[in-house]
């Protein structure tokens, strides 16, 4: 049976409006490539670079519940704020975040990461110290690599101890692009 695009869209919107979804997501085009943006009733739970929707749906279902559906409407606010950020009109995100999967040290690191201002850089060691474990710079790198909501939680603003661009789950080209957008790096 074939369902019309209009009926499919109405179904997805109705499922979201009735609170029947554990996770709603959409695919978003951006200056750093296509992003998968996912939200729960608690807030933004994932931004993924180069998404493979089927794989992402499985991971979201294991983490948050099996009712995962591509439904753009619930992601509207996150998409709007990302668009404003990429247009240079937003320096801080005002989104609820669903970080329930982050534990102890990882959560502390993400909370400190959220405090790194637009256009400024910090180091892995500095974040480790602020999170209460000054010798855990390498562990901070692991947390950054697993950051569920890059861009919003700005792991791109974290550099090596010498100021060099190191390690970014989205790739160093994206890291450089985001830092250039914020004026933290001069365009190459």
């Amino acid at each position: 049976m074939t369902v019309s695009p209009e009926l499919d869209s109405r179904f997805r919107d109705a499922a979201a409006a009735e609170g029947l979804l554990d996770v709603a997501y959409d695919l978003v085009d951006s200056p750093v490539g296509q992003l998968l943006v996912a939200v729960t009733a608690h807030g933004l739970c994932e931004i993924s670079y180069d998404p493979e929707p089927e794989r992402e749906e499985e991971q979201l279902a294991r983490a948050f519940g099996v009712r995962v559906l591509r439904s753009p409407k619930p992601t509207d606010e996150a998409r709007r704020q990302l668009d404003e950020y990429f247009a240079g009109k937003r320096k801080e995100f005002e989104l609820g975040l669903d970080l329930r999967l982050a534990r102890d040290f990882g959560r502390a690191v993400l909370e400190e990461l959220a405090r790194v201002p637009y256009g400024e850089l910090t180091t892995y060691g500095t974040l480790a110290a602020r999170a209460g474990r000054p010798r855990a710079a390498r562990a901070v790198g692991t947390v950054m690599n697993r950051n569920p909501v890059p861009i919003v939680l700005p792991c791109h603003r974290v550099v090596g101890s010498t100021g060099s661009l190191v390690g970014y789950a989205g790739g160093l080209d994206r890291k450089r692009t985001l830092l250039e957008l914020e004026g933290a790096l001069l365009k190459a």
Side-chain angles (χ1 to χ4, degrees), residues 59-165:
Q59 290 174 342
L60 290 165
R62 280 194 304 272
F64 297 101
V66 296
R67 299 176 306 171
V68 177
L69 189 63
R70 183 172 181 181
S71 181
K73 196 172 281 303
T75 67
D76 281 350
E77 183 61 19
R79 289 182 299 131
R80 182 184 66 76
Q81 289 191 32
L82 284 165
D83 287 345
E84 291 170 356
Y85 169 81
F86 287 121
K89 297 176 182 173
R90 175 172 291 279
K91 294 184 181 348
E92 291 182 25
F93 290 93
E94 299 167 359
L95 296 167
L97 299 179
D98 187 343
L99 300 176
R100 69 180 112 158
L101 301 179
R103 301 284 181 250
D104 304 325
F105 179 68
R107 182 178 289 275
V109 169
L110 293 174
E111 288 170 358
E112 290 302 324
L113 177 62
R115 293 182 177 98
V116 178
Y118 180 94
E120 294 187 23
L121 302 176
T122 192
T123 66
Y124 295 95
T126 300
L127 274 182
R130 289 182 183 160
R133 292 188 37 204
R135 300 176 68 132
R138 197 168 266 195
V140 167
T142 299
V143 173
M144 296 298 99
N145 188 49
R146 295 179 182 156
N147 178 1
V149 287
I151 304 169
V152 173
L153 288 179
C155 51
H156 59 278
R157 298 179 190 154
V158 184
V159 297
S161 61
T162 63
S164 59
L165 298 186

Side-chain angles (χ1 to χ4, degrees), residues 41-62:
H42 301 286
L44 180 67
C45 66
E46 182 175 327
I47 294 176
S48 179
Y49 292 113
D50 302 321
E52 296 175 28
E54 288 177 14
R55 180 177 54 91
E56 303 288 341
E57 282 182 18
E58 282 182 31
Q59 290 174 342
L60 290 165
R62 280 194 304 272

Side-chain angles (χ1 to χ4, degrees), residues 167-184:
Y168 189 64
L172 292 180
D173 288 343
R174 284 187 176 117
K175 185 171 191 167
R176 177 175 300 284
T177 298
L178 294 169
L179 292 173
E180 287 172 353
L181 171 81
E182 294 183 11

